[in-house]
Coordinates of all heavy atoms in Angstrom, one line a residue:
Chain L
M18 N 0.8 -1.2 0.0 CA 0.0 0.0 0.0 C 0.9 1.3 0.0 O 1.8 1.4 0.8 CB -0.9 0.0 1.2 CG -1.8 1.1 1.3 SD -2.9 0.9 2.6 CE -3.3 -0.8 2.4
A19 N 0.6 2.1 -0.9 CA 1.5 3.3 -1.0 C 1.1 4.4 0.0 O -0.1 4.6 0.2 CB 1.4 3.8 -2.4
L20 N 2.1 5.0 0.4 CA 1.9 6.1 1.4 C 1.0 7.2 0.8 O 0.2 7.8 1.4 CB 3.2 6.6 1.8 CG 3.3 7.8 2.7 CD1 2.5 7.6 4.0 CD2 4.7 8.3 3.0
R21 N 1.3 7.5 -0.5 CA 0.6 8.6 -1.1 C -0.9 8.5 -1.1 O -1.6 9.5 -1.2 CB 1.1 8.8 -2.6 CG 0.9 7.6 -3.4 CD 1.2 7.8 -4.9 NE 1.2 6.7 -5.7 CZ 2.2 5.8 -5.9 NH1 3.4 6.1 -5.3 NH2 2.1 4.8 -6.6
D22 N -1.4 7.2 -1.0 CA -2.8 7.0 -1.1 C -3.4 7.4 0.3 O -4.6 7.6 0.4 CB -3.1 5.6 -1.4 CG -2.7 5.2 -2.8 OD1 -3.0 6.1 -3.7 OD2 -2.1 4.2 -3.0
Q23 N -2.6 7.4 1.3 CA -3.2 7.6 2.6 C -2.9 8.9 3.2 O -3.5 9.4 4.2 CB -2.7 6.5 3.6 CG -3.2 5.1 3.2 CD -2.9 4.1 4.2 OE1 -3.3 4.3 5.4 NE2 -2.2 3.1 3.9
L24 N -1.8 9.5 2.7 CA -1.3 10.7 3.3 C -2.3 11.9 3.2 O -2.8 12.1 2.2 CB 0.0 11.1 2.6 CG 0.8 12.3 3.3 CD1 1.5 11.7 4.5 CD2 1.8 12.8 2.3
R25 N -2.6 12.5 4.3 CA -3.5 13.6 4.3 C -2.7 14.9 4.6 O -2.0 15.0 5.6 CB -4.6 13.4 5.4 CG -5.6 12.3 5.0 CD -6.4 11.9 6.2 NE -7.3 12.9 6.7 CZ -8.5 12.6 7.1 NH1 -9.0 11.4 7.0 NH2 -9.3 13.6 7.5
T26 N -2.9 15.8 3.6 CA -2.0 17.0 3.6 C -2.9 18.2 3.6 O -3.9 18.3 2.9 CB -1.1 17.0 2.4 OG1 -0.4 15.7 2.4 CG2 -0.1 18.1 2.4
I27 N -2.4 19.3 4.2 CA -3.0 20.6 4.0 C -2.0 21.6 3.5 O -0.8 21.6 4.0 CB -3.7 21.1 5.3 CG1 -4.6 22.3 5.0 CG2 -2.7 21.3 6.4 CD1 -5.6 22.7 6.0
V28 N -2.4 22.3 2.5 CA -1.5 23.3 1.9 C -2.0 24.7 2.4 O -3.1 25.1 2.2 CB -1.6 23.3 0.4 CG1 -0.6 24.3 -0.2 CG2 -1.2 21.9 -0.1
V29 N -1.1 25.4 3.1 CA -1.5 26.8 3.6 C -0.7 27.9 2.9 O 0.6 27.9 3.0 CB -1.2 26.8 5.1 CG1 -1.9 28.0 5.7 CG2 -1.7 25.5 5.8
D30 N -1.4 28.7 2.2 CA -0.7 29.8 1.5 C -1.7 30.9 1.2 O -2.9 30.5 0.9 CB -0.1 29.3 0.2 CG 1.0 30.3 -0.3 OD1 0.7 31.5 -0.4 OD2 2.1 29.8 -0.6
D31 N -1.4 32.1 1.4 CA -2.4 33.2 1.2 C -2.5 33.4 -0.3 O -3.5 34.0 -0.8 CB -1.9 34.5 1.8 CG -0.6 35.0 1.4 OD1 0.3 34.1 1.4 OD2 -0.4 36.2 1.2
M32 N -1.6 32.9 -1.1 CA -1.7 33.2 -2.6 C -2.3 31.9 -3.2 O -1.8 30.8 -3.1 CB -0.3 33.4 -3.1 CG -0.2 34.6 -4.0 SD 1.4 34.6 -4.8 CE 0.9 35.4 -6.3
S33 N -3.4 32.2 -3.9 CA -4.1 31.0 -4.5 C -3.2 30.4 -5.6 O -3.3 29.2 -5.8 CB -5.5 31.4 -5.0 OG -5.3 32.1 -6.2
T34 N -2.4 31.2 -6.2 CA -1.5 30.6 -7.2 C -0.6 29.6 -6.6 O -0.4 28.5 -7.1 CB -0.7 31.7 -7.8 OG1 -1.5 32.8 -8.3 CG2 0.2 31.2 -9.0
S35 N 0.0 29.9 -5.4 CA 0.9 29.0 -4.8 C 0.2 27.7 -4.3 O 0.7 26.6 -4.5 CB 1.6 29.6 -3.6 OG 2.1 30.9 -4.0
R36 N -1.0 27.9 -3.8 CA -1.8 26.8 -3.4 C -2.1 25.9 -4.5 O -1.9 24.6 -4.5 CB -3.1 27.2 -2.7 CG -3.0 27.9 -1.4 CD -4.4 27.9 -0.7 NE -5.4 28.6 -1.4 CZ -5.7 29.9 -1.4 NH1 -5.0 30.7 -0.7 NH2 -6.7 30.4 -2.1
G37 N -2.4 26.5 -5.7 CA -2.7 25.8 -6.9 C -1.5 25.0 -7.4 O -1.6 23.8 -7.7
L38 N -0.3 25.6 -7.3 CA 0.9 25.0 -7.8 C 1.2 23.8 -7.0 O 1.6 22.7 -7.5 CB 2.0 26.0 -7.8 CG 2.0 27.0 -8.9 CD1 3.0 28.1 -8.7 CD2 2.3 26.3 -10.3
I39 N 1.1 24.0 -5.6 CA 1.5 22.9 -4.7 C 0.5 21.7 -4.8 O 0.9 20.5 -5.0 CB 1.6 23.4 -3.3 CG1 2.8 24.4 -3.2 CG2 1.9 22.2 -2.3 CD1 2.8 25.1 -1.8
T40 N -0.8 22.1 -4.9 CA -1.8 21.1 -5.0 C -1.6 20.3 -6.3 O -1.8 19.1 -6.3 CB -3.2 21.7 -4.9 OG1 -3.2 22.6 -3.8 CG2 -4.3 20.7 -4.8
Q41 N -1.3 21.0 -7.3 CA -1.1 20.5 -8.6 C 0.0 19.5 -8.6 O 0.0 18.3 -9.1 CB -0.8 21.6 -9.6 CG -0.6 21.2 -11.1 CD -1.9 20.6 -11.6 OE1 -3.0 20.9 -11.2 NE2 -1.7 19.6 -12.5
A42 N 1.1 19.9 -7.9 CA 2.3 19.0 -7.8 C 2.0 17.7 -7.0 O 2.3 16.6 -7.4 CB 3.5 19.7 -7.2
L43 N 1.3 17.9 -5.9 CA 0.9 16.8 -5.1 C 0.0 15.8 -5.9 O 0.2 14.6 -5.8 CB 0.1 17.3 -3.9 CG 0.9 18.0 -2.8 CD1 0.0 18.6 -1.7 CD2 1.9 17.1 -2.1
D44 N -0.9 16.4 -6.7 CA -1.7 15.6 -7.5 C -0.9 14.7 -8.5 O -1.1 13.6 -8.7 CB -2.7 16.5 -8.3 CG -3.8 15.7 -8.9 OD1 -4.6 15.1 -8.1 OD2 -3.9 15.7 -10.1
G45 N 0.2 15.4 -8.9 CA 1.1 14.7 -9.8 C 1.8 13.5 -9.2 O 2.2 12.5 -9.8
F46 N 2.0 13.6 -7.8 CA 2.7 12.5 -7.1 C 1.7 11.5 -6.7 O 2.0 10.5 -6.1 CB 3.4 13.0 -5.8 CG 4.2 14.2 -5.9 CD1 4.4 15.1 -4.9 CD2 4.9 14.5 -7.1 CE1 5.1 16.2 -5.0 CE2 5.7 15.7 -7.2 CZ 5.8 16.5 -6.1
G47 N 0.4 11.7 -7.0 CA -0.6 10.8 -6.6 C -1.1 11.0 -5.2 O -1.9 10.2 -4.6
V48 N -0.7 12.2 -4.6 CA -1.3 12.5 -3.2 C -2.6 13.2 -3.5 O -2.6 14.3 -4.0 CB -0.3 13.4 -2.5 CG1 -0.9 13.8 -1.1 CG2 1.0 12.7 -2.3
R49 N -3.7 12.5 -3.1 CA -5.0 13.1 -3.4 C -5.7 13.7 -2.2 O -6.7 14.4 -2.4 CB -5.8 12.0 -4.0 CG -5.2 11.3 -5.3 CD -5.3 12.3 -6.5 NE -4.3 12.0 -7.5 CZ -4.4 11.1 -8.4 NH1 -5.4 10.3 -8.5 NH2 -3.4 10.9 -9.3
H50 N -5.3 13.2 -1.0 CA -6.1 13.8 0.1 C -5.4 15.1 0.5 O -4.6 15.2 1.4 CB -6.0 12.8 1.3 CG -6.6 11.4 0.9 ND1 -8.0 11.3 0.7 CD2 -6.1 10.2 0.8 CE1 -8.2 10.0 0.4 NE2 -7.1 9.4 0.4
V51 N -5.8 16.1 -0.2 CA -5.2 17.4 0.0 C -6.3 18.5 0.3 O -7.3 18.6 -0.5 CB -4.4 17.8 -1.2 CG1 -3.8 19.2 -1.0 CG2 -3.3 16.8 -1.5
E52 N -6.1 19.2 1.3 CA -7.0 20.4 1.6 C -6.1 21.6 1.5 O -4.9 21.5 1.5 CB -7.5 20.3 3.0 CG -8.8 19.4 3.1 CD -10.0 20.2 2.5 OE1 -10.0 21.4 2.4 OE2 -11.0 19.5 2.2
S53 N -6.7 22.8 1.5 CA -5.9 24.0 1.5 C -6.6 25.0 2.3 O -7.8 25.0 2.5 CB -5.7 24.4 0.0 OG -6.9 24.7 -0.6
A54 N -5.8 26.0 2.7 CA -6.3 27.1 3.5 C -5.5 28.3 3.2 O -4.3 28.2 2.8 CB -6.1 26.8 5.0
A55 N -6.1 29.5 3.3 CA -5.5 30.7 2.9 C -4.7 31.4 4.0 O -3.9 32.3 3.8 CB -6.5 31.7 2.3
D56 N -4.9 30.9 5.2 CA -4.2 31.5 6.3 C -4.1 30.5 7.5 O -4.8 29.5 7.5 CB -4.8 32.8 6.8 CG -6.2 32.7 7.2 OD1 -6.5 32.0 8.2 OD2 -7.1 33.2 6.5
G57 N -3.2 30.8 8.4 CA -3.0 29.9 9.5 C -4.2 29.6 10.3 O -4.5 28.4 10.7
A58 N -5.0 30.6 10.6 CA -6.2 30.4 11.5 C -7.2 29.4 10.8 O -7.7 28.5 11.5 CB -6.9 31.7 11.8
S59 N -7.4 29.6 9.5 CA -8.4 28.7 8.9 C -7.8 27.3 8.7 O -8.5 26.3 8.7 CB -8.9 29.3 7.6 OG -7.9 29.9 6.8
A60 N -6.4 27.3 8.6 CA -5.8 26.0 8.5 C -6.0 25.2 9.8 O -6.4 24.0 9.8 CB -4.3 26.1 8.2
L61 N -5.8 25.9 10.9 CA -6.0 25.2 12.2 C -7.4 24.7 12.4 O -7.7 23.6 12.9 CB -5.6 26.2 13.4 CG -4.1 26.4 13.5 CD1 -3.9 27.6 14.5 CD2 -3.4 25.2 13.9
Q62 N -8.3 25.5 11.9 CA -9.7 25.2 12.0 C -10.0 23.9 11.2 O -10.7 23.0 11.6 CB -10.6 26.3 11.6 CG -11.8 26.4 12.5 CD -12.9 27.2 11.9 OE1 -12.8 27.6 10.8 NE2 -13.9 27.4 12.7
K63 N -9.5 23.9 10.0 CA -9.7 22.8 9.1 C -9.1 21.5 9.6 O -9.8 20.5 9.6 CB -9.1 23.2 7.7 CG -9.9 22.6 6.6 CD -9.6 23.3 5.3 CE -10.8 24.1 4.8 NZ -10.5 24.8 3.5
I64 N -7.9 21.7 10.2 CA -7.2 20.5 10.7 C -8.0 19.9 11.9 O -8.0 18.7 12.1 CB -5.8 20.9 11.2 CG1 -5.0 21.2 9.9 CG2 -5.1 19.7 11.9 CD1 -3.6 21.9 10.2
S65 N -8.7 20.8 12.6 CA -9.4 20.3 13.8 C -10.6 19.3 13.4 O -11.0 18.5 14.2 CB -9.9 21.4 14.7 OG -11.0 22.1 14.0
S66 N -11.1 19.5 12.2 CA -12.1 18.6 11.8 C -11.7 17.6 10.8 O -12.3 16.7 10.4 CB -13.3 19.4 11.2 OG -12.9 20.2 10.2
W67 N -10.5 17.9 10.2 CA -10.0 17.0 9.2 C -8.5 16.8 9.5 O -7.6 17.5 9.0 CB -10.2 17.6 7.8 CG -10.0 16.7 6.6 CD1 -10.8 15.8 6.2 CD2 -8.8 16.6 5.8 NE1 -10.3 15.1 5.1 CE2 -9.1 15.6 4.8 CE3 -7.6 17.3 5.7 CZ2 -8.2 15.3 3.8 CZ3 -6.7 17.0 4.7 CH2 -7.0 16.0 3.8
P68 N -8.2 15.9 10.4 CA -6.8 15.7 10.8 C -5.8 15.4 9.7 O -6.2 14.7 8.7 CB -6.8 14.5 11.8 CG -8.2 14.4 12.2 CD -9.0 14.9 11.1
V69 N -4.6 15.9 9.7 CA -3.7 15.7 8.7 C -2.4 15.1 9.2 O -2.1 15.1 10.4 CB -3.4 17.0 7.9 CG1 -4.6 17.6 7.3 CG2 -2.7 18.0 8.9
H70 N -1.6 14.6 8.3 CA -0.3 14.1 8.6 C 0.8 15.1 8.3 O 1.8 15.1 8.9 CB 0.0 12.8 7.8 CG -1.0 11.7 7.9 ND1 -1.8 11.4 6.9 CD2 -1.3 11.0 9.0 CE1 -2.6 10.4 7.3 NE2 -2.4 10.2 8.6
L71 N 0.5 15.9 7.3 CA 1.5 16.8 6.9 C 0.9 18.2 6.6 O -0.1 18.3 6.0 CB 2.2 16.3 5.6 CG 3.2 17.1 4.9 CD1 4.5 17.2 5.8 CD2 3.6 16.5 3.6
V72 N 1.6 19.2 7.1 CA 1.2 20.6 6.8 C 2.3 21.2 5.9 O 3.5 21.2 6.3 CB 1.1 21.4 8.1 CG1 0.8 22.9 7.8 CG2 0.0 20.8 9.0
I73 N 1.9 21.7 4.8 CA 2.8 22.4 3.9 C 2.4 23.9 3.9 O 1.3 24.2 3.5 CB 2.8 21.9 2.4 CG1 3.1 20.4 2.4 CG2 3.7 22.6 1.5 CD1 2.9 19.7 1.0
S74 N 3.3 24.7 4.5 CA 2.8 26.1 4.8 C 3.8 27.1 4.2 O 5.1 26.9 4.3 CB 2.6 26.3 6.2 OG 2.4 27.7 6.5
D75 N 3.3 28.1 3.7 CA 4.1 29.3 3.3 C 4.6 30.0 4.6 O 4.0 29.8 5.6 CB 3.2 30.2 2.5 CG 3.9 31.4 1.9 OD1 5.1 31.2 1.6 OD2 3.4 32.5 1.7
M76 N 5.7 30.7 4.5 CA 6.1 31.5 5.7 C 5.4 32.8 5.8 O 4.8 33.1 6.8 CB 7.7 31.7 5.5 CG 8.3 32.6 6.6 SD 8.1 31.9 8.2 CE 8.4 33.3 9.2
N77 N 5.4 33.6 4.7 CA 5.0 35.0 4.8 C 3.5 35.1 4.5 O 3.1 35.1 3.3 CB 5.8 35.8 3.9 CG 5.9 37.2 4.3 OD1 5.0 37.7 4.9 ND2 7.0 37.8 4.1
M78 N 2.7 35.1 5.5 CA 1.2 35.2 5.3 C 0.6 36.3 6.2 O 1.2 36.6 7.2 CB 0.6 33.9 5.6 CG 1.0 32.7 4.7 SD 0.1 31.2 5.0 CE 0.7 30.8 6.6
P79 N -0.5 36.9 5.8 CA -1.1 37.8 6.7 C -1.6 37.1 7.9 O -2.0 35.9 7.8 CB -2.2 38.4 5.8 CG -2.5 37.4 4.7 CD -1.2 36.7 4.5
G80 N -1.7 37.8 9.0 CA -2.2 37.1 10.2 C -1.0 36.3 10.8 O -0.1 36.9 11.4
M81 N -1.1 35.0 10.7 CA -0.1 34.1 11.3 C 1.0 33.8 10.3 O 0.6 33.5 9.1 CB -0.8 32.8 11.7 CG -0.5 32.2 13.0 SD -1.4 30.6 13.1 CE -2.9 31.1 13.9
T82 N 2.2 33.9 10.7 CA 3.3 33.5 9.7 C 3.3 31.9 9.8 O 2.7 31.3 10.6 CB 4.6 34.0 10.1 OG1 5.0 33.4 11.4 CG2 4.7 35.5 10.3
G83 N 4.1 31.4 8.8 CA 4.2 29.9 8.8 C 4.7 29.4 10.1 O 4.3 28.4 10.6
L84 N 5.7 30.1 10.7 CA 6.3 29.6 11.9 C 5.3 29.8 13.1 O 5.4 28.9 14.0 CB 7.6 30.3 12.2 CG 8.8 29.9 11.3 CD1 10.1 30.6 11.6 CD2 9.0 28.4 11.3
Q85 N 4.5 30.8 13.1 CA 3.5 30.9 14.1 C 2.5 29.8 14.0 O 2.0 29.3 15.1 CB 2.8 32.3 14.1 CG 3.7 33.4 14.6 CD 3.2 34.8 14.3 OE1 2.4 35.0 13.4 NE2 3.7 35.8 15.0
L86 N 2.2 29.4 12.8 CA 1.3 28.3 12.6 C 2.0 27.0 13.2 O 1.3 26.2 13.9 CB 1.0 28.1 11.1 CG 0.2 26.8 10.7 CD1 -1.2 26.8 11.4 CD2 0.1 26.7 9.2
L87 N 3.2 26.8 12.9 CA 4.0 25.7 13.4 C 3.9 25.6 14.9 O 3.7 24.6 15.5 CB 5.4 25.7 12.9 CG 6.4 24.7 13.5 CD1 5.9 23.3 13.2 CD2 7.8 24.9 13.0
H88 N 4.1 26.8 15.5 CA 4.1 26.9 17.0 C 2.8 26.5 17.5 O 2.7 25.7 18.5 CB 4.5 28.3 17.4 CG 4.4 28.5 18.9 ND1 5.5 28.0 19.7 CD2 3.6 29.0 19.7 CE1 5.2 28.2 21.0 NE2 4.0 28.9 21.0

Side-chain angles (χ1 to χ4, degrees):
Chain L
M18 182 172 317
L20 173 60
R21 59 173 173 270
D22 295 316
Q23 296 190 56
L24 191 73
R25 289 164 68 140
T26 304
I27 188 162
V28 179
V29 193
D30 199 310
D31 56 317
M32 230 192 147
S33 76
T34 306
S35 312
R36 292 197 301 273
L38 284 168
I39 296 172
T40 310
Q41 181 65 31
L43 288 171
D44 196 62
F46 314 149
V48 176
R49 301 286 155 81
H50 300 294
V51 179
E52 274 288 340
S53 62
D56 56 69
S59 44
L61 288 171
Q62 219 200 4
K63 214 159 246 179
I64 294 169
S65 71
S66 58
W67 195 78
V69 297
H70 305 110
L71 178 65
V72 176
I73 301 175
S74 172
D75 187 30
M76 173 61 198
N77 207 325
M78 295 184 291
M81 222 183 271
T82 67
L84 288 183
Q85 284 168 339
L86 171 63
L87 172 60
H88 179 74

